[in-house]
């Protein structure tokens, strides 16, 4: 059993914002792997399928970003998964726009959604794929930046980053990432 969770905010208002990179990555994975996101459970929109002969749950928490840990904790309990069975995808201001980084574990850094996942689940032992969105323009508050719509000129580089994040996720699912 593996669980892949994309962090973001639900609703049309947030659909194309920088803070929804994790949601978008799970949507791309859903299409790639032919696993429809159609079930509402554990405070998430989920799809259940398989990858490499193993059961796979794709999830987009419906709790808003900063409470994402509630959904991850509930999913882990329902599917009897440990932290090592979970990968979390999310946006990251601390790496350059379009950059993708995989980590096997670690702190939540400056990301409140990931901090909440760690706090709710009581462990940092989650694999994660961070999708770089870069820092906000000078004098722009961070909350305004992450909740802003991605400008047209940045969409291609972020779409490529999301595809790379999906590639990293598939490598993790195959056991190639340790």
């Amino acid at each position: 059993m593996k669980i892949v969770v994309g962090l973001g905010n639900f609703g049309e208002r947030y659909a194309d914002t920088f803070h929804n990179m994790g949601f978008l990555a799970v949507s791309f994975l859903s299409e790639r792997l032919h696993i429809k996101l159609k079930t509402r459970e554990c405070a998430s929109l989920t799809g259940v399928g398989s990858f490499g002969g193993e059961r796979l749950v794709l999830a987009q928490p419906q709790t808003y970003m900063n409470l994402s840990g509630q959904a991850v904790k509930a999913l882990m309990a329902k599917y009897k998964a440990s932290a090592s069975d979970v990968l979390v995808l999310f946006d990251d201001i601390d790496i350059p726009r379009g950059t993708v980084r995989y980590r096997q574990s670690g702190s939540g850094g400056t990301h409140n959604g990931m901090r909440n996942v760690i706090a709710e689940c009581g462990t940092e032992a989650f694999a994660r794929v961070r999708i770089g969105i870069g820092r906000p323009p000078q004098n722009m508050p961070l909350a305004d930046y992450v909740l802003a719509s991605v400008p047209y000129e940045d969409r291609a580089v972020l779409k490529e980053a999301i595809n790379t994040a999906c590639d990293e996720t598939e490598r993790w699912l195959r056991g190639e990432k340790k």
Side-chain angles (χ1 to χ4, degrees), residues 48-153:
V48 179
S50 65
F51 184 91
E54 190 167 22
R55 194 167 183 202
L56 172 62
V57 176
L58 300 178
Q60 295 172 324
Q62 304 292 289
T63 57
Y64 289 113
M65 177 66 80
N66 294 348
L67 300 174
S68 298
Q70 295 171 0
V72 174
K73 184 177 180 179
L75 288 162
M76 289 173 64
K78 177 174 182 169
Y79 290 100
K80 297 175 178 50
S82 67
S84 64
D85 299 320
V86 177
L87 180 134
V88 181
L89 296 127
F90 58 98
D91 63 283
D92 195 327
I93 63 163
D94 293 321
I95 58 178
R97 186 169 300 156
T99 302
V100 175
R101 293 200 182 137
Y102 168 86
R103 284 182 63 191
Q104 185 59 38
S105 64
S107 76
T110 60
H111 197 280
N112 289 332
M114 194 62 196
R115 284 180 182 174
N116 185 255
V117 170
I118 291 166
E120 286 286 332
C121 298
T123 182
E124 294 181 349
F126 295 97
R128 74 272 327 261
V129 174
R130 300 159 44 211
I131 302 165
I133 61 170
R135 288 273 177 191
Q138 193 169 3
N139 299 323
M140 183 179 207
L142 181 58
D144 291 348
Y145 175 66
V146 297
L147 296 176
S149 291
V150 175
Y152 180 79
E153 62 270 13

Side-chain angles (χ1 to χ4, degrees), residues 2 17 25 54 64 89 140 170 174 178:
K2 297 290 185 194
T17 64
E54 190 167 22
Y64 289 113
L89 296 127
M140 183 179 207
E170 287 187 35
R174 287 190 299 268
K178 298 286 182 200

Side-chain angles (χ1 to χ4, degrees), residues 21 24-25 28 32 89-90 95-101 129-133 154-169:
M21 294 298 113
L24 290 169
F28 276 48
R32 262 193 198 192
L89 296 127
F90 58 98
I95 58 178
R97 186 169 300 156
T99 302
V100 175
R101 293 200 182 137
V129 174
R130 300 159 44 211
I131 302 165
I133 61 170
D154 292 331
R155 291 183 182 192
V157 72
L158 288 173
K159 183 177 181 182
E160 185 175 321
I162 289 167
N163 275 313
T164 301
C166 292
D167 294 342
E168 291 293 316
T169 301

